Amino acid sequence: MDSAALQQFVEDQILEQYPALYRLAFTYVKNPDDAMDVVQESVYKAMRGCAQVQNREAVRSWLCRIVVNTALDLLRGRSREVLTDILPESGREDVYADPDLLRALDVLDERERTVVVLRFFQELKLHEIAQVTGENLNTVKTILYRSLKKLKAYLTEGEDERERTRHEGL
């Protein structure tokens, strides 16, 4: 495939996947403006590097990998920032995800969160997740299994606490 056709194909995939890429970014940065910045930076990186795509079927997972890496870079950069006394702007409600579920994702480490988000939010197949993360397929399966156990324990614990509080209020 010539480079112009490849570039057009990548552009088409970006336009088709844009809402999913935004949701993927949002699950990491948890802020609409930051998620938009991550997606825009990712699109720039994808268009700049589209010549390296060798397999049209891998474009979706390649785009996801770019978004995940860009979001993680943003988060790593923030962890080095010094906090100031500037008050954040008023919060906005997330229309894409359940806040309890987003909070639950925080109990996972970076690798676990990536696998869960790619599997259930982006609906990638396990072998696609292995491509995105650069992990072995069996490693991805293990990470997913361990992550789901952690999430279940966290969500069950929270459910038990809510149930106790409700009964105490009666």
Side-chain angles (χ1 to χ4, degrees):
M1 177 187 318
D2 69 2
S3 65
L6 179 61
Q7 183 171 354
Q8 184 61 50
F9 180 75
V10 170
E11 286 178 26
D12 292 343
Q13 287 298 300
I14 289 170
L15 291 173
E16 183 181 315
Q17 297 294 322
Y18 203 86
L21 297 174
Y22 175 84
R23 287 189 303 271
L24 176 60
F26 188 89
T27 60
Y28 282 88
V29 297
K30 298 178 178 72
N31 175 297
D33 295 330
D34 290 341
M36 188 60 70
D37 289 345
V38 166
V39 173
Q40 289 174 350
E41 177 69 19
S42 299
V43 167
Y44 171 75
K45 289 176 181 178
M47 294 310 301
R48 198 177 71 212
C50 70
Q52 69 186 8
V53 174
Q54 297 168 0
N55 181 356
R56 290 173 69 124
E57 289 77 40
V59 169
R60 181 178 176 203
S61 59
W62 177 69
L63 289 171
C64 288
R65 173 181 249 166
I66 293 171
V67 170
V68 167
N69 289 339
T70 304
L72 292 174
D73 288 344
L74 176 74
L75 293 173
R76 285 183 198 114
R78 283 219 177 117
S79 69
R80 289 183 229 123
E81 289 179 3
V82 177
L83 297 176
T84 65
D85 291 336
I86 299 172
L87 295 175
E89 63 184 67
S90 62
R92 288 179 250 174
E93 186 174 333
D94 169 31
V95 295
Y96 288 101
D98 177 2
D100 290 335
L101 183 56
L102 285 177
R103 230 174 287 116
L105 288 173
D106 288 339
V107 304
L108 302 176
D109 68 33
E110 191 175 288
R111 286 174 67 203
E112 294 167 338
R113 185 178 324 113
T114 298
V115 170
V116 169
V117 166
L118 292 174
R119 178 66 186 103
F120 296 106
F121 288 72
Q122 297 302 309
E123 299 177 357
L124 294 183
K125 294 179 174 83
L126 293 175
H127 73 276
E128 292 174 317
I129 296 169
Q131 289 175 338
V132 169
T133 61
E135 300 281 0
N136 175 300
L137 179 60
N138 288 328
T139 303
V140 169
K141 290 177 184 178
T142 301
I143 292 169
L144 181 60
Y145 176 73
R146 182 180 58 229
S147 303
L148 292 176
K149 282 179 64 174
K150 274 187 179 180
L151 286 172
K152 182 179 179 184
Y154 175 82
L155 292 170
T156 302
E157 178 182 296
E159 202 173 274
D160 292 344
E161 183 64 33
R162 286 189 297 274
E163 188 68 25
R164 245 191 325 275
T165 304
R166 190 171 55 136
H167 285 300
E168 289 172 1
L170 291 179

